Amino acid sequence: MNPQEPAFEIEVSLTVNGEAVTRRVSARQHLADFLRDELSLTGTHIGCEHGVCGACAVRVDGRVVRGCLMLAVQASGSVVETIEGLSDSGALADLQAEFLQRNAAQCGFCTSGMLLTAHEFLKGGRCGSREEIRDVLSGNLCRCTGYQSIVDAVEATMMKRT
Ligand code: FES
Ligand code: FES
């Protein structure tokens, strides 16, 4: 597409962190950019933009997805939850406390994606081995922590919940 041409726009309506939102967006804008640029929800980070790093994780209709691999128009009609909404609701409070205590968030770039992925894993009081925790977090890249402290934090939360 010629960058000089105006972007084709479509109206989207969705619920984000409990609030109804309607916007006109470029047909090619992905969900992570929409959340950051249109709604100022900058807790959703953008790293690789091709589905590898996990920094852009958000929940859509109850499932964690990669915000860089979903177009905003595809989320129209959906219920979207971001790190901001899940933090405000207290849903992640125990997990966040363990991350803080164990220094599992350093620069914090990966942290929102890590928390959403870990939260999904722990849903419903699920219990798993350290290997399973490592496996489920393997799609979330961290340049800082060496992962040990993150796995410790998820494991500690799991033990307290069960
Ligand atoms: Fe989406 Fe990396 S920015 S997976
Ligand atoms: Fe820096 Fe994970 S804490 S990338």
Side-chain angles (χ1 to χ4, degrees):
M1 179 177 177
N2 183 338
Q4 303 303 318
E5 288 177 20
F8 179 57
E9 292 194 338
I10 298 175
E11 184 171 285
V12 296
S13 296
L14 60 163
T15 302
V16 180
N17 297 333
E19 292 193 15
V21 170
T22 298
R23 293 281 192 286
R24 287 192 71 77
V25 300
S26 162
R28 61 185 179 177
Q29 183 175 49
H30 62 55
L31 181 58
D33 272 344
F34 173 75
L35 294 168
R36 290 177 57 85
D37 298 345
E38 299 290 334
L39 306 182
S40 299
L41 294 169
T42 54
T44 300
H45 293 156
I46 297 172
C48 66
E49 287 196 88
H50 62 279
V52 174
C53 74
C56 61
V58 293
R59 271 172 45 141
V60 177
D61 295 332
R63 297 192 60 191
V64 175
V65 304
R66 306 212 160 206
C68 72
L69 294 184
M70 184 173 200
L71 296 171
V73 296
Q74 291 177 296
S76 194
S78 296
V79 173
V80 175
E81 298 165 277
T82 69
I83 188 67
E84 289 90 347
L86 290 165
S87 295
D88 289 349
S89 73
L92 304 173
D94 54 351
L95 198 50
Q96 288 170 311
E98 293 295 340
F99 266 60
L100 186 62
Q101 189 179 338
R102 292 159 197 279
N103 205 24
Q106 291 183 22
C107 81
F109 196 84
C110 70
T111 307
S112 56
M114 288 286 185
L115 287 168
L116 261 73
T117 302
H119 180 62
E120 178 94 334
F121 174 70
L122 297 173
K123 235 170 29 184
R126 180 169 170 196
C127 210
S129 65
R130 277 183 81 81
E131 286 66 37
E132 283 177 86
I133 295 171
R134 282 191 177 280
D135 189 50
V136 83
L137 294 177
S138 63
N140 292 77
L141 305 185
C142 176
R143 295 178 302 180
C144 308
T145 65
Y147 301 97
Q148 189 75 20
S149 55
I150 294 172
V151 175
D152 288 348
V154 176
E155 185 178 41
T157 306
M158 182 177 73
M159 302 307 271
K160 285 183 178 169
R161 286 189 186 183
T162 52

